[in-house]
C-alpha cells in the first residue's frame, strides 16, 4: 500500500512537472497594456513576450516554487514567485516605469546646450564653425542665441543686461581666466580658444547649477574632445595667417599639438580701415593636449585624464582720436602674453560613484603703453576642484564639490616704480541634489557656500530648479537662485575689501523639440544688488561704495527648423531686455550701454549638393545702444540708431579632405555706431565735442583653405567636432 | 554482466547526448533563424527578449549578446519608430554589444556590429550626426576588417558608407562597388550550414546582392 502511494505521488509529481501553464496580462501603472515584455522563469529558457494587448502565455516543465522575471524597456524589472504544480497560473502584473535618462525630462531653464548625442540641445557643436558671421569664434556663434546682446565694440558675451565680466567660462569644468584676447578699448576681441577643441558646450543665461559661482549672469562650460579618431595633420592657410595641427592616437591615449600665426597687416594694407593702426594686430599661439583613458566602462571602473596647455602672444599699436582734438590722438601699444594650463580627470567608480575634478591656472600679462607711459598688468588665477557624485538610485543623486581659488592681480607704472597688487584666496563648497519624481518631473536643489580671504566675507547661495514634461513632448521648467560675484579686479585694486555684488534670478522656460523643429520661449527677472558705485572717471574712481542696484527683465524666443525647407537649416531668435541699474558713476538708474532693448537674429544654412557647398547667411539686429551725452541734462539719454549686420559665408568641399571657406561680414556695408565718446572738457562754446564709436572697417572678409592629411582620405577638419 | 550492461547503457546515453544538440544550441538556432527573417517590430522585440533569456543562462558566450544587440539594432533602423524610440533601441544595442566585446574582445563580428549600430545612429539624424559620427563608423568597419579581412558584413556595410560618400562628392563609386562584390564573393564561398551549426553570423548576403545589382 505504502509503495503504491509513493508511486502515485511520484506520478503526480512528474505529471505536474511536465506542464504548468503560466498566463496573464502586463499593464503599466495606469492600466494600459505593455507589449513586448520579457516574461520568463529565472534560470531557464522557458518564457515568452507579451503581445500588443499585454497578454502572455507559456508553459514550463519546471516544478515547485519558481521565480518569474518580468522585464521591459522603460520599466522597473519585477520578480514574482509562482508555484508550478501543473495547475494553470494566471497573473495580472503591473509594471512601474523606470527613469530613462534618454527620454526623461531635463532642466532647460536658462540652459542652452550644444551636443551631438543629447536631446534637449539647441545647437550641434558643428554649428559653431558653420554659422556665418561667427568667423570661427565661439562667442560670436553664441551671440546668435536668445538672451545675448551683440556689443560690436567689445566682442565678449553680454547676457541679459549683464556686462561681459558677469559671464564665467570653463573648460572641462575648470575656470579660464582672461578667456578673451587683450585689446585696446573699443577694439573688439575674440575668444582665445579654437572651436575645433570642443565636442560640446553648455551655455547658461541664468539660473545655473550650484557648481558654478562668482558669475552674476551667465556660465559657459566648454567640453574638450575625448579621444580623436585617427592620426592626422591639419593644415590651414588663411588670409590672416596659417597653422598646423598634428594628432597622434594610441589605443588608450592621444596627443595633439598645434601652432598658429596670424597677422592682420597684409589684409589691412589692402582693405581700407577706419581704425588708425600703427601696427596691425599679430599673434601666435601653440597648444598641446594629452588624453589618457583607463579601465573599461562595462567592467565598472574607468576614467579619463586630460591635460591641456595653451600659450600665446600678441602685439598691436593703434592711434585713437580724442574728441575735440584734431591730432592723431592717443597712441596705445599693447603687448600680451597669455598661458592657460588645465589638468582634469573623470573617474567612474563602483556602486554608483562618479568622481571628477582638476587643476587649472591662467596667467595674463598686458604690457601697455599709453602714449609714453608703460603700464604692466598681471592677472593670475588658480582653480582646483574635486567633486564626488553618488547615484543612490535611478531617481536620486547627490553631488558634492570643493573648490579652491587663488586670484591675484598687480599693476605697475614701470617708469615711476609704482606698483600695487592683491591676492585673494577663495574656498567654495557646493552640494546639489537631483531627484526624479518620474520621467516627467525632476527637481534639482543646490547650495553654494564661499569665503574670500581678501573680502573677509562668507556667503551662502541657494539654487533651485524644477521641470515638468507634458504629453506632447513639450516641457516647462522654472529656475531660481542667488548668485554672488566680487567686483572686477580694476576696482578691487583700489579698495581690496570690496564685498560681493549679488543677483537673484527667476526664470520660466518652455521648450519643445519635435521632428527636427525646436521652439524655446523663456522669460526672466533678475535683481541686482550691491553693485560698485563711485565718483569721477572709471580710471580714477573716488568714493568707492557698493550702493548700486538694478534689474533686468524680459522674454526671449528661439525657433529652429531643419525640416520645412529641404537641405536648409535656419533659426530665428528674438530677445527683449528691459534693464536699468544704478552703477559705476551714474546717480540714477539708467539703461546700460550694453543692454539694447530689442535683439534679433536669423541664421540660415543651405546645402547645395550639386556644388558640394554649404552657403550660409546670418543677420543680427538690435534697437540701438544707449550712451551718455554730457551736453544734455540727465544721464544715459542718448540712443544710437539700430544696429544691423548681415554676413554671408560659403564652404566648398571639392574633396573630402579639403574645405575652402570664404566669408564676409556686414555685406550691406552699414556704418554701425555703438555709442559716442565725449571730450572731458567743454570747448569755448560750452559744448562737449564727440566722436562716434564705430567699426574697425566697413566689412570684414575672410578666406581660408583647410586641408587634412591622413591615411583615411575622407577625414576633414570638421570631423573633429 | 548486469553491471556491464548498465555501464554500456550509460555510455550510450552519454554518446547520444553528445550527438544531440544542447538546449542552448537548440534555442539559439531557433531564435537566430527567427531574427534574421523578420522585419516586424513585435517579432524583433520577442527575439530580443528570447536572446536576453539565453544571455542570462550563458554569460560566457558571445553569440547570445551579439544577437541580442542585433535584435535591438534592427529595431533602431525600423522607420515605423520615432527618432526617440530608435535612439532608445540603439542605446540598448550599444550597451549589449559592449558586453559581447567584454566576453570576446577583438572579435571582428562584434566590432562590425558596433560599426553597424553607430551607422544606425547616424541615420536617425544624418545632418546633425553625420559630421561627427561618420568618421567613427568608417574607422570601426576598418578595425573589423583589420581583425578579419574576410568579414563579409564589415565589407558590405563599409561599401554602403563608401557609396554614400562617393555619391556626395561626385567621385567614382568603383571602390564601393568593388567592396560590395568582394563581400558577395565571400558570402558565396561560405559553408552556410557549417556557420549556422556553429552559431556564427550569416546575415547580410541580401544587402550585398542588392548593392551589387545596383552597381551594374
Amino acid at each position: 500500500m505504502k509503495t503504491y502511494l509513493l508511486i502515485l505521488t511520484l506520478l503526480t509529481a512528474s505529471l505536474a512537472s511536465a506542464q504548468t501553464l503560466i498566463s496573464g496580462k502586463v499593464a503599466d501603472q495606469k492600466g494600459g497594456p505593455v507589449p513586448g515584455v520579457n516574461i520568463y522563469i529565472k534560470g531557464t529558457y522557458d518564457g515568452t513576450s507579451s503581445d500588443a494587448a499585454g497578454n502572455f502565455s507559456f508553459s514550463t516543465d519546471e516544478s515547485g516554487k519558481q521565480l518569474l522575471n518580468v522585464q521591459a524597456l522603460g520599466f522597473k524589472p519585477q520578480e514574482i514567485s509562482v508555484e508550478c504544480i501543473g495547475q494553470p497560473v494566471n497573473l495580472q502584473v503591473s509594471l512601474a516605469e523606470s527613469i530613462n535618462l534618454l527620454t526623461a525630462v531635463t532642466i532647460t531653464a536658462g540652459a542652452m546646450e550644444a551636443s551631438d548625442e543629447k536631446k534637449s540641445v539647441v545647437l550641434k557643436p558643428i554649428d559653431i564653425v558653420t554659422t556665418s558671421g561667427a568667423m570661427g569664434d565661439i562667442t560670436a556663434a553664441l551671440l546668435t542665441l536668445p538672451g545675448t546682446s551683440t556689443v560690436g565694440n567689445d566682442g565678449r558675451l553680454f547676457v541679459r543686461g549683464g556686462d561681459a565680466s558677469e559671464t564665467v567660462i570653463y573648460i572641462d569644468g575648470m575656470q579660464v581666466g582672461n578667456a578673451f584676447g587683450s585689446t585696446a578699448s573699443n577694439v573688439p576681441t575674440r575668444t582665445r580658444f579654437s572651436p575645433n577643441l570642443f565636442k560640446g558646450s553648455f551655455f547658461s543665461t541664468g539660473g545655473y547649477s550650484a557648481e558654478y559661482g562668482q558669475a552674476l549672469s551667465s556660465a559657459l562650460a566648454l567640453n574638450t574632445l575625448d579621444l580623436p579618431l585617427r592620426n592626422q595633420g591639419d593644415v590651414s592657410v588663411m588670409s590672416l595667417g596659417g597653422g598646423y595641427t598634428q594628432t597622434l592616437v594610441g589605443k588608450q591615449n592621444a596627443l595633439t599639438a598645434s601652432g598658429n600665426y596670424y597677422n592682420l597687416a597684409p589684409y589691412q594694407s589692402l582693405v581700407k580701415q577706419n581704425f588708425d593702426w600703427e601696427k596691425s594686430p599679430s599673434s601666435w599661439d601653440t597648444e598641446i593636449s594629452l588624453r589618457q583613458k583607463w579601465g573599461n566602462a562595462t567592467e565598472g571602473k574607468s576614467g579619463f585624464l586630460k591635460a591641456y596647455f595653451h600659450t600665446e602672444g600678441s602685439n598691436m599699436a593703434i592711434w585713437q582720436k580724442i574728441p575735440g582734438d584734431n591730432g592723431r590722438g592717443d597712441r596705445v601699444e599693447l603687448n600680451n602674453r597669455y598661458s592657460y594650463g588645465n589638468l582634469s580627470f573623470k573617474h567612474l567608480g563602483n556602486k554608483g560613484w562618479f568622481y571628477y575634478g582638476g587643476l587649472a591656472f591662467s596667467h595674463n600679462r598686458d604690457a601697455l603703453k599709453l602714449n609714453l607711459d608703460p603700464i604692466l598688468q598681471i592677472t593670475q588665477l588658480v582653480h582646483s576642484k574635486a567633486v564626488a557624485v553618488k547615484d543612490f538610485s535611478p531617481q536620486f543623486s547627490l553631488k558634492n564639490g570643493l573648490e579652491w581659488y587663488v586670484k591675484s592681480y598687480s599693476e605697475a607704472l614701470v617708469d615711476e616704480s609704482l606698483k600695487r597688487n592683491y591676492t585673494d584666496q577663495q574656498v567654495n563648497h557646493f552640494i546639489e541634489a537631483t531627484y526624479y519624481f518620474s520621467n516627467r518631473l525632476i527637481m534639482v536643489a543646490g547650495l553654494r557656500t564661499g569665503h574670500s580671504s581678501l573680502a573677509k566675507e562668507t556667503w551662502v547661495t541657494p539654487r533651485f530648479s524644477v521641470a515638468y514634461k507634458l504629453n506632447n513632448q513639450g516641457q516647462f521648467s522654472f529656475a531660481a537662485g542667488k548668485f554672488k560675484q566680487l567686483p572686477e579686479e580694476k576696482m578691487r585694486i583700489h579698495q581690496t575689501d570690496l564685498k560681493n555684488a549679488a543677483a537673484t534670478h527667476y526664470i520660466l522656460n518652455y521648450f519643445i523639440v519635435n521632428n527636427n523643429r525646436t521652439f524655446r520661449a523663456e522669460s526672466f527677472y533678475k535683481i541686482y544688488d550691491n553693485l560698485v558705485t563711485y565718483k569721477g572717471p572709471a580710471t580714477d574712481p573716488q568714493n568707492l561704495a557698493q550702493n548700486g542696484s538694478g534689474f533686468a527683465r524680459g522674454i526671449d524666443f528661439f525657433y529652429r527648423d531643419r525640416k520645412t525647407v529641404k537641405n536648409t537649416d535656419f533659426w530665428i531668435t528674438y530677445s527683449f531686455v528691459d534693464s536699468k541699474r544704478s552703477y559705476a558713476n551714474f546717480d540714477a538708474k539708467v539703461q546700460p550701454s550694453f543692454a539694447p532693448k530689442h535683439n534679433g537674429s536669423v541664421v540660415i544654412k543651405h546645402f547645395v549638393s550639386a556644388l558640394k557647398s554649404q552657403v550660409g547667411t546670418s543677420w543680427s539686429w538690435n534697437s540701438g545702444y544707449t550712451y551718455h551725452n554730457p551736453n544734455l541734462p540727465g544721464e544715459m539719454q542718448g540712443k544710437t540708431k539700430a544696429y544691423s549686420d548681415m554676413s554671408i559665408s560659403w564652404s566648398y568641399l571639392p574633396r573630402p579632405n579639403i574645405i575652402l571657406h570664404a566669408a564676409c561680414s556686414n555685406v550691406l556695408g552699414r556704418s554701425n555706431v555703438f555709442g559716442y565718446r565725449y571730450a572731458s572738457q567743454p570747448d569755448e562754446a560750452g559744448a562737449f565735442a564727440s566722436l562716434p564709436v564705430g567699426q574697425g572697417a566697413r566689412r570684414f572678409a575672410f578666406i581660408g583653405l583647410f586641408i587634412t592629411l591622413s591615411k583615411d582620405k575622407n577625414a576633414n577638419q570638421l570631423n573633429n567636432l | 554482466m548486469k553491471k556491464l550492461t548498465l555501464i554500456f547503457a550509460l555510455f550510450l546515453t552519454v554518446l547520444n547526448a553528445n550527438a544531440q544538440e544542447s538546449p542552448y544550441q537548440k534555442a539559439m538556432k531557433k531564435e537566430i533563424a527567427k531574427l534574421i527573417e523578420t522585419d516586424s517590430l513585435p517579432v524583433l522585440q520577442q527575439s530580443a527578449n528570447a536572446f536576453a533569456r539565453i544571455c542570462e543562462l550563458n554569460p560566457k558566450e558571445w553569440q547570445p549578446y551579439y544577437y541580442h544587440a542585433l535584435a535591438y539594432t534592427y529595431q533602431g533602423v525600423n522607420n515605423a519608430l520615432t527618432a526617440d524610440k530608435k535612439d532608445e533601441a540603439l542605446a540598448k544595442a550599444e550597451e549589449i554589444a559592449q558586453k559581447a566585446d567584454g566576453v570576446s574582445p577583438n572579435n571582428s563580428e562584434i566590432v562590425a556590429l558596433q560599426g553597424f549600430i553607430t551607422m544606425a545612429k547616424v541615420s536617425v539624424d544624418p545632418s546633425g550626426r553625420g559630421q561627427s559620427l561618420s568618421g567613427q563608423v568608417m574607422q570601426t568597419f576598418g578595425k573589423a576588417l583589420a581583425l578579419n579581412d574576410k568579414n563579409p558584413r564589415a565589407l558590405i556595410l563599409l561599401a554602403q558608407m563608401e557609396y554614400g560618400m562617393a555619391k556626395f562628392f561626385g567621385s567614382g563609386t568603383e571602390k564601393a562597388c568593388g567592396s560590395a562584390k568582394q563581400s558577395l564573393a565571400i558570402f558565396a564561398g561560405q559553408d552556410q550550414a557549417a556557420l549556422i551549426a556553429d552559431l556564427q553570423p550569416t546575415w547580410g548576403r541580401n544587402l550585398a546582392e542588392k548593392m551589387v545589382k545596383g552597381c551594374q
Side-chain angles (χ1 to χ4, degrees):
Chain A
M1 187 64 202
K2 249 185 178 173
T3 340
Y4 277 120
L5 220 105
L6 189 76
I7 289 168
L8 206 76
T9 17
L10 271 174
L11 234 136
T12 22
S14 71
L15 262 178
S17 73
Q19 289 285 294
T20 300
L21 183 74
I22 300 175
S23 62
K25 190 178 166 109
V26 190
D28 59 21
Q29 279 169 316
K30 284 185 197 140
V34 186
V37 182
N38 200 2
I39 305 128
Y40 62 99
I41 291 182
K42 204 176 176 181
T44 73
Y45 290 118
D46 299 341
T48 189
S49 300
S50 64
D51 64 15
N55 292 315
F56 67 91
S57 144
F58 70 99
S59 41
T60 176
D61 293 334
E62 304 297 322
S63 64
K65 230 186 179 136
Q66 297 291 342
L67 278 178
L68 191 74
N69 270 7
V70 186
Q71 297 174 344
L73 267 189
F75 293 93
K76 284 182 194 156
Q78 254 185 49
E79 276 189 356
I80 301 166
S81 174
V82 288
E83 199 80 40
C84 296
I85 47 163
Q87 301 294 318
V89 178
N90 193 279
L91 295 161
Q92 300 298 316
V93 187
S94 169
L95 287 179
E97 71 162 17
S98 66
I99 300 302
N100 180 352
L101 293 180
L102 217 60
T103 50
V105 59
T106 48
I107 299 224
T108 43
M112 283 176 285
E113 208 170 350
S115 152
D116 265 331
E117 302 277 327
K118 290 191 192 157
K119 282 275 156 311
S120 56
V121 299
V122 160
L123 287 185
K124 298 279 177 182
I126 186 173
D127 293 323
I128 289 171
V129 242
T130 55
T131 296
S132 68
M135 304 281 175
D137 184 19
I138 298 168
T139 313
L142 296 176
L143 288 175
T144 66
L145 294 182
T148 60
S149 301
T150 303
V151 180
N153 56 325
D154 190 287
R156 291 177 293 170
L157 266 173
F158 291 81
V159 176
R160 289 186 175 159
D163 71 33
S165 74
E166 293 175 29
T167 298
V168 175
I169 298 180
Y170 298 84
I171 292 180
D172 290 328
M174 307 308 298
Q175 193 174 331
V176 187
N178 298 77
F180 294 91
S182 297
T183 185
S185 66
N186 294 321
V187 177
T189 178
R190 292 168 60 91
T191 326
R192 293 184 193 267
F193 304 96
S194 153
N196 292 332
L197 279 170
F198 306 105
K199 65 168 183 188
S201 64
F202 183 88
F203 176 41
S204 175
T205 50
Y208 34 91
S209 150
E211 184 161 356
Y212 306 116
Q214 286 294 309
L216 287 181
S217 277
S218 161
L220 171 63
L222 301 163
N223 297 314
T224 62
L225 291 165
D226 293 336
L227 278 186
L229 280 176
R230 60 180 87 75
N231 292 347
Q232 69 180 53
D234 294 302
V235 185
S236 51
V237 185
M238 293 166 275
S239 49
L240 310 173
Y244 183 76
T245 304
Q246 179 66 48
T247 306
L248 297 170
V249 184
K251 236 194 172 86
Q252 295 276 60
N253 45 28
L255 170 79
T256 304
S258 74
N260 296 290
Y261 176 75
Y262 304 95
N263 193 333
L264 267 81
Y267 176 80
Q268 293 186 341
S269 67
L270 286 170
V271 181
K272 187 183 167 285
Q273 299 292 307
N274 297 337
F275 289 166
D276 181 6
W277 291 105
E278 182 187 301
K279 189 177 176 304
S280 295
S282 66
S283 69
W284 58 268
D285 66 75
T286 63
E287 56 186 37
I288 279 192
S289 85
L290 273 159
R291 268 96 258 265
Q292 178 71 50
K293 226 167 113 172
W294 61 81
N296 183 336
T298 47
E299 286 152 22
K301 287 184 183 175
S302 66
F304 221 113
L305 183 74
K306 291 175 175 178
Y308 170 71
F309 182 73
H310 173 108
T311 183
E312 66 174 58
S314 70
N315 275 299
M316 64 170 78
I318 189 170
W319 288 86
Q320 296 189 312
K321 276 202 164 55
I322 302 166
D325 184 285
N326 287 330
R328 214 175 168 186
D330 287 323
R331 182 181 181 277
V332 184
E333 187 182 332
L334 176 65
N335 179 310
N336 173 253
R337 275 287 281 122
Y338 176 78
S339 296
Y340 176 68
N342 168 325
L343 189 72
S344 70
F345 77 95
K346 278 189 270 189
H347 180 81
L348 191 65
N350 286 330
K351 293 179 184 148
W353 283 97
F354 176 57
Y355 311 90
Y356 63 94
L359 182 69
F361 82 95
S362 316
H363 179 97
N364 185 68
R365 195 206 63 181
D366 288 323
L368 267 162
K369 223 181 219 174
L370 190 58
N371 294 320
L372 290 172
D373 304 326
I375 304 166
L376 190 68
Q377 298 170 332
I378 295 172
T379 313
Q380 291 186 93
L381 171 73
V382 177
H383 177 201
S384 62
K385 174 169 166 178
V387 186
V389 187
K390 163 87 175 159
D391 289 335
F392 288 94
S393 75
Q395 272 83 32
F396 179 60
S397 77
L398 194 66
K399 187 190 267 189
N400 234 308
L402 202 60
E403 286 176 298
W404 177 61
Y405 286 93
V406 183
K407 297 178 177 182
S408 72
Y409 176 67
S410 76
E411 55 183 31
L413 287 168
V414 182
D415 286 354
E416 285 137 76
S417 304
L418 282 174
K419 191 183 167 187
R420 54 186 172 191
N421 67 297
Y422 72 77
T423 300
D424 183 18
Q425 301 210 25
Q426 286 172 25
V427 181
N428 289 274
H429 170 258
F430 61 87
I431 182 163
E432 188 174 75
T434 304
Y435 189 78
Y436 283 93
F437 291 92
S438 71
N439 282 317
R440 285 167 178 274
L441 181 64
I442 184 178
M443 202 168 87
V444 179
L447 196 69
R448 185 177 176 89
T449 314
H451 175 82
S452 155
S453 66
L454 194 67
K456 296 192 179 61
E457 188 186 13
T458 303
W459 59 93
V460 180
T461 52
R463 318 271 167 95
F464 172 79
S465 47
V466 60
Y468 183 74
K469 196 169 186 170
L470 308 166
N471 276 332
N472 69 346
Q473 299 298 310
Q475 58 167 62
F476 280 102
S477 13
F478 172 78
K482 277 205 174 290
F483 302 82
K484 300 264 187 182
Q485 184 174 6
L486 285 155
E488 276 193 273
E489 57 212 18
K490 305 232 155 99
M491 291 296 146
R492 286 185 94 191
I493 194 85
H494 293 287
Q495 194 173 319
T496 53
D497 64 349
L498 285 175
K499 307 278 188 246
N500 274 296
T504 310
H505 300 183
Y506 300 96
I507 294 169
L508 182 64
N509 165 292
Y510 176 74
F511 184 88
I512 184 163
V513 53
N514 204 350
N515 236 336
N516 283 328
R517 291 191 184 98
T518 308
F519 174 75
R520 181 184 189 273
E522 192 165 281
S523 67
F524 63 93
Y525 188 55
K526 177 159 64 171
I527 304 157
Y528 285 102
D529 268 309
N530 305 334
L531 296 171
V532 171
T533 52
Y534 51 83
K535 298 282 175 221
T539 44
D540 183 25
Q542 304 296 320
N543 302 342
L544 269 169
Q546 290 186 276
N547 299 323
S549 64
F551 66 87
R553 62 189 171 199
I555 186 158
D556 47 52
F557 300 96
F558 173 85
Y559 175 70
R560 182 172 187 178
D561 189 324
R562 295 193 284 151
K563 195 172 172 76
T564 310
V565 189
K566 204 174 172 242
N567 289 333
T568 304
D569 175 8
F570 68 89
W571 68 83
I572 304 170
T573 64
Y574 168 76
S575 315
F576 168 73
V577 187
D578 173 25
S579 180
K580 279 208 166 77
R581 47 162 90 178
S582 58
Y583 72 115
N585 49 9
F586 296 105
D587 290 324
K589 279 198 169 64
V590 295
Q591 180 189 342
S593 59
F594 45 79
K597 260 207 164 75
H598 306 275
N599 304 265
S601 64
V602 178
V603 176
I604 305 169
K605 299 173 190 188
H606 179 69
F607 201 83
V608 192
S609 311
L611 295 174
K612 300 175 199 170
S613 296
Q614 178 176 281
V615 289
T617 179
S618 72
W619 175 66
S620 67
W621 170 88
N622 69 46
S623 58
Y625 309 90
T626 55
Y627 60 91
H628 178 66
N629 183 347
N631 293 315
L632 294 173
E635 295 176 309
M636 280 295 217
Q637 345 71 336
K639 201 180 110 192
T640 66
K641 62 181 174 130
Y643 162 84
S644 167
D645 182 311
M646 184 151 137
S647 305
I648 50 167
S649 69
W650 175 59
S651 306
Y652 172 55
L653 284 86
R655 296 165 56 86
N657 64 330
I658 297 174
I659 302 169
L660 185 69
H661 181 76
C664 181
S665 72
N666 198 24
V667 277
L668 301 178
R670 191 184 162 92
S671 298
N672 285 308
V673 170
F674 309 110
Y676 291 87
R677 293 189 295 135
Y678 283 86
S680 51
Q681 300 296 326
D683 58 19
E684 288 120 20
F688 291 86
S690 74
L691 275 175
V693 176
Q695 303 161 151
R698 187 152 278 196
R699 297 182 183 84
F700 180 73
F702 170 87
I703 185 156
L705 179 69
F706 304 94
I707 305 169
T708 296
L709 309 166
S710 77
K711 279 190 187 157
D712 178 355
K713 295 288 175 285
N714 290 320
N716 64 36
Q717 297 190 13
L718 293 181
N719 275 343
N720 281 338
L721 300 173
Chain B
M1 188 61 204
K2 232 182 178 180
K3 218 174 184 178
L4 214 91
T5 337
L6 197 76
I7 289 169
F8 190 69
L10 267 174
F11 189 68
L12 256 176
T13 19
V14 170
L15 263 182
N16 211 10
N18 259 349
Q20 254 180 8
E21 285 179 329
S22 68
Y24 165 67
Q25 280 173 313
K26 220 162 126 185
M28 280 293 279
K29 276 187 191 163
K30 186 177 132 214
E31 292 302 334
I32 293 168
K34 206 163 130 191
L35 170 64
I36 56 180
E37 250 146 54
T38 187
D39 41 43
S40 126
L41 273 172
V43 178
L44 285 173
Q45 186 54 47
Q46 284 169 22
S47 174
N49 288 346
F51 284 114
R53 299 195 286 265
I54 302 174
C55 288
E56 202 162 296
L57 285 179
N58 304 278
K60 295 266 183 282
E61 303 285 344
W62 65 269
Q63 285 100 327
Y65 290 116
Y66 176 89
Y67 287 104
H68 190 196
L70 188 62
Y72 277 115
T73 314
Y74 282 155
Q75 293 183 42
V77 292
N78 194 304
N79 281 327
L81 288 182
T82 62
D84 268 359
K85 289 279 168 201
K86 282 182 188 172
D87 274 346
E88 199 175 346
L90 292 171
K92 191 81 191 160
E94 215 165 24
E95 178 197 323
I96 303 158
Q98 275 277 348
K99 282 188 188 160
D101 184 61
V103 174
S104 171
N106 295 321
N107 182 322
S108 174
E109 290 295 351
I110 296 168
V111 176
L113 175 63
Q114 285 173 323
F116 186 28
I117 296 167
T118 316
M119 195 171 154
K121 276 167 79 177
V122 174
S123 69
V124 175
D125 177 12
S127 58
R129 294 178 184 166
Q131 275 293 355
S132 60
L133 290 183
S134 57
Q136 195 186 323
V137 176
M138 302 287 278
Q139 203 200 25
T140 313
F141 290 138
K143 191 183 163 197
L145 288 169
L147 291 164
N148 172 16
D149 60 356
K150 295 267 177 314
N151 182 340
R153 278 158 291 282
L155 265 169
I156 187 60
L157 292 169
L158 178 69
Q160 288 190 338
M161 285 296 285
E162 284 174 341
Y163 193 80
M165 292 268 211
K167 278 272 173 232
F168 179 81
F169 288 105
S171 51
T173 53
E174 302 81 23
K175 188 165 177 278
C177 287
S179 305
K181 267 182 211 149
Q182 206 185 332
S183 163
L184 189 59
I186 297 170
F187 274 119
Q190 279 179 340
D191 181 354
Q192 186 96 352
L195 288 173
I196 290 174
D198 203 22
L199 308 178
Q200 296 289 334
T202 55
W203 61 275
R205 187 172 179 156
N206 54 341
L207 294 179
E209 279 166 355
K210 225 172 156 179
M211 194 169 157
V212 168
K213 217 176 256 170
C215 278
Q216 278 162 1

